[in-house]
Amino acid sequence: MKIERYDRALGAYLGVAVGDALGATVEFMLPREIRHLYGVHCEIVGGGWLKLKPGRVTDDTEMSLALGGALIAAGGWDAYAVADAFVAWLKSKPVDVGNTCRRGIQRYMMVRSLSGPVSESDGGNGALMRISPLVLATLNDDMAFRRQALEQAHITHNHPLSDIATLVLGEMARMLINGGGIKECRVLANALLTEYPRFRFDPYPGRASGYIVDTVQTVLHHFFHGDSFESCVVATVNCGEDADTTGAIVGMLAGALYGASAIPVRWLDKLDPGVVTEIRQQVDGLLELPGSQ
Ligand code: MN
Ligand code: MN
């Protein structure tokens, strides 16, 4: 039982990096362009618009690691420590930075505020893409998860649809790591659709952009229709558009459901070994935090 929880926790975090590294190759491409070039894109080969080395991850994984590192260093939640970690990451000249993330971090640098005003332009997927370390840090504390998930989100994204998506998909990952299954995920998804019908994902509406509604539809459709870690992630990234980020998010959910042991070894072998080591260390540190004990 303990081992299974660890395997699911590790799967959720490694799943982010694997989905990011696989999807980055086809980020901003359309499905028909991907088909033309790759048939089905299912190998970690790098390239893409960022001209990445095979196995290189992008901002999705890097911001997760920044958040996770701050949680471990502070022994739990410290919003300023998280914002400072995002600043350090931005100053490290990352290979890619989303516009909304950059704007939010720069606002914090200038005025030290942990949140901007609610903004129509903050409806991107950047708050959700980095949620996995917080999931691991709050496995036994529902209230802490909800409060901290929104606080970390608002550093860069203050938008009601980003908020609800971050809460619901983060909660799905928590529930899966704690031993839940696909049925409980359906319950959470149905509750989301009752309150916010615009997230409806069956039949698949067909857009996979960085807009949080498109992202959630793409992730949930392929998460519920897949039957393995690999099938969920491959189907998702082959929708193109914001493929590294949809890949990272579905990688979190599929990793939490199927476990790290279900991630194809050929993908783990390709992943940047420094990132794999850092994720493994962070998983150990995050699971020891008070919110997960
Ligand atoms: Mn990215
Ligand atoms: Mn992206």
Side-chain angles (χ1 to χ4, degrees), residues 20 27-28 49 58-60 96 125 129 210 241-246:
D20 183 5
E27 190 181 19
F28 299 131
W49 73 284
T58 72
D59 50 343
D60 313 74
D96 189 24
N125 53 23
M129 74 185 188
E241 300 197 67
D242 198 3
D244 62 321
T245 307
T246 58

Side-chain angles (χ1 to χ4, degrees), residues 50-255:
L50 293 169
K51 300 185 167 53
L52 301 166
K53 279 192 199 144
R56 175 83 156 87
V57 296
T58 72
D59 50 343
D60 313 74
T61 306
E62 290 172 353
M63 289 198 85
S64 301
L65 290 169
L67 171 57
L71 291 168
I72 294 166
W77 182 250
D78 177 341
Y80 284 97
V82 172
D84 287 337
F86 291 163
V87 170
W89 168 73
L90 186 62
K91 287 182 172 169
S92 75
K93 296 202 171 72
V95 65
D96 189 24
V97 185
N99 291 331
T100 312
C101 285
R102 183 192 300 278
R103 191 177 62 215
I105 296 167
Q106 286 176 337
R107 182 211 66 250
Y108 171 73
M109 289 166 72
M110 283 189 288
V111 297
R112 296 276 136 189
S113 81
L114 290 167
S115 167
V118 175
S119 166
E120 228 7 84
S121 63
D122 284 8
N125 53 23
L128 170 58
M129 74 185 188
R130 60 181 185 241
I131 198 66
S132 56
L134 190 64
V135 165
L136 268 56
T138 58
L139 287 173
N140 286 340
D141 193 335
D142 296 343
M143 292 298 286
F145 170 72
R146 285 186 214 124
R147 186 172 56 78
Q148 295 166 14
L150 293 180
E151 283 188 31
Q152 76 79 22
H154 291 174
I155 295 171
T156 56
H157 291 66
N158 197 348
H159 188 287
L161 296 178
S162 163
D163 286 355
I164 193 68
T166 303
L167 288 172
V168 171
L169 274 67
E171 183 57 38
M172 280 187 193
R174 288 181 70 235
M175 189 269 302
L176 290 168
I177 295 168
N178 283 326
I182 201 89
K183 271 191 191 149
E184 289 94 331
C185 288
R186 274 283 178 195
V187 172
L188 289 171
N190 288 341
L192 172 69
L193 299 187
T194 301
E195 210 179 335
Y196 298 89
R198 72 174 78 190
F199 283 107
R200 266 201 299 253
F201 52 85
D202 272 317
Y204 179 52
R207 289 302 308 275
S209 80
Y211 176 48
I212 191 67
V213 174
D214 292 346
T215 298
V216 167
Q217 288 171 334
T218 300
V219 166
L220 291 185
H221 180 85
H222 296 102
F223 174 63
F224 285 117
H225 285 263
D227 60 1
S228 65
F229 180 87
E230 181 169 350
S231 64
C232 291
V233 176
V234 167
T236 299
V237 301
N238 279 273
C239 295
E241 300 197 67
D242 198 3
D244 62 321
T245 307
T246 58
I249 299 166
V250 83
M252 170 181 77
L253 293 179

